Amino acid sequence: SSTLPWNNNGTNRWNSVNDAYWIADQCTYVTNGSLVIVNQNSPPTSFPGHSAFHYESGWAQSRYKMAYTWGYAEIRAQYPNGTAMWPTWWMLGANGNWPPEVDVAERYPNGTLNHGMYYAGAGGTGTWTSGGQYANDPIYAMNTYGFEWNPGYTAWSKNGSVLVSFASQYVPSQPVYMILSGGVVTNGSNGGSLASQTFPAYFTIDYVRLFKRAEYIYNGDFSATNNQSGSIVGGWTISN
């Protein structure tokens, strides 16, 4: 929708040579108050630079429509199961430069859900700080995942509890935009196996929210009847 800060991946219909899927508009939709990204079979589909894809998935990003610097971002989501799934909530620099890259909640095909960040270290290159894994996370049910970002400080949380924090002078300071992507990987990529994957598989997002202190920046609740005004999440006040 032109009134919401989300769009697809434009004319770029594939993301990585390790991916077994292409980005199809019909794989991202809103239903029953939730955003759904579906991974499913596709007729053979080819693009320059890549062999034919046999799977398709969805992509929602806020690039060119909404970027931010500093704040607390949160989603409530249920991740898909399977040995070829790679859905992620992540962020990239709005100016097109890399790093930064923030992987807030990235589900690997081996079943682990991970969090971390690439940033420009002392040498200006991509330096990885691994937040590790969301330990014992029942990701196939609805959970909330949060990312707090302040000057020199970041923290990742699950269901309101901070799991890990990172403080450094190299914490990124340039605006980022959000991405919600499905993902089907090729065999062997981070433990991926297409042979035992069941399709379709769904990445369901109940809401996306972005806060600054005492200011409600964006409520991406996909249900018009759910009003959280006045509540407090990790010290960040909603005041729309």
Side-chain angles (χ1 to χ4, degrees):
S1 168
S2 60
T3 61
L4 296 176
W6 301 102
N7 51 30
N8 60 28
N9 205 30
T11 58
N12 182 14
R13 291 298 168 170
W14 60 281
N15 186 50
S16 167
V17 294
N18 294 320
D19 292 339
Y21 73 98
W22 69 283
I23 299 167
D25 289 348
Q26 64 268 23
C27 292
T28 305
Y29 55 90
V30 174
T31 184
N32 296 323
S34 295
L35 175 69
V36 176
I37 296 176
V38 58
N39 303 286
Q40 60 190 16
N41 294 297
S42 168
T45 305
S46 298
F47 296 93
H50 201 291
S51 57
F53 293 98
H54 297 273
Y55 306 92
E56 60 188 22
S57 184
W59 183 289
Q61 65 180 17
S62 66
R63 190 177 191 184
Y64 307 125
K65 302 188 76 174
M66 182 187 71
Y68 81 104
T69 308
W70 320 132
Y72 173 80
E74 181 181 278
I75 68 170
R76 183 172 184 265
Q78 179 174 338
Y79 280 71
N81 197 359
T83 57
M85 296 291 97
W86 203 331
T88 307
W89 175 35
W90 52 308
M91 305 175 188
L92 289 175
N95 63 4
N97 293 334
W98 185 95
E101 177 185 329
V102 180
D103 299 325
V104 186
E106 178 179 19
R107 192 259 186 210
Y108 285 176
N110 62 14
T112 62
L113 192 68
N114 299 269
H115 47 92
M117 178 174 63
Y118 286 99
Y119 61 97
T125 57
T127 302
W128 172 251
T129 176
S130 176
Q133 300 176 1
Y134 292 92
N136 302 315
D137 186 16
I139 64 174
Y140 312 124
M142 282 287 180
N143 289 280
T144 61
Y145 302 97
F147 177 66
E148 184 168 345
W149 178 28
N150 293 322
Y153 175 84
T154 56
W156 290 257
S157 62
K158 171 197 159 191
N159 293 333
S161 298
V162 173
L163 300 180
V164 67
S165 61
F166 173 69
S168 169
Q169 62 179 314
Y170 298 113
V171 166
S173 59
Q174 61 266 54
V176 298
Y177 65 94
M178 296 186 191
I179 304 170
L180 292 160
S181 59
V184 183
V185 301
T186 54
N187 288 320
S189 180
N190 260 347
S193 173
L194 286 164
S196 55
Q197 178 65 51
T198 301
F199 293 96
Y202 300 92
F203 183 19
T204 304
I205 301 96
D206 183 33
Y207 63 71
V208 180
R209 293 177 182 155
L210 175 60
F211 308 77
K212 286 194 174 181
R213 294 195 183 277
E215 183 181 0
Y216 202 158
I217 300 302
Y218 170 62
N219 177 10
D221 195 327
F222 297 102
S223 169
T225 61
N226 190 354
N227 184 357
Q228 298 293 321
S229 181
S231 66
I232 296 177
V233 181
W236 299 85
T237 303
I238 305 172
S239 58
N240 65 327

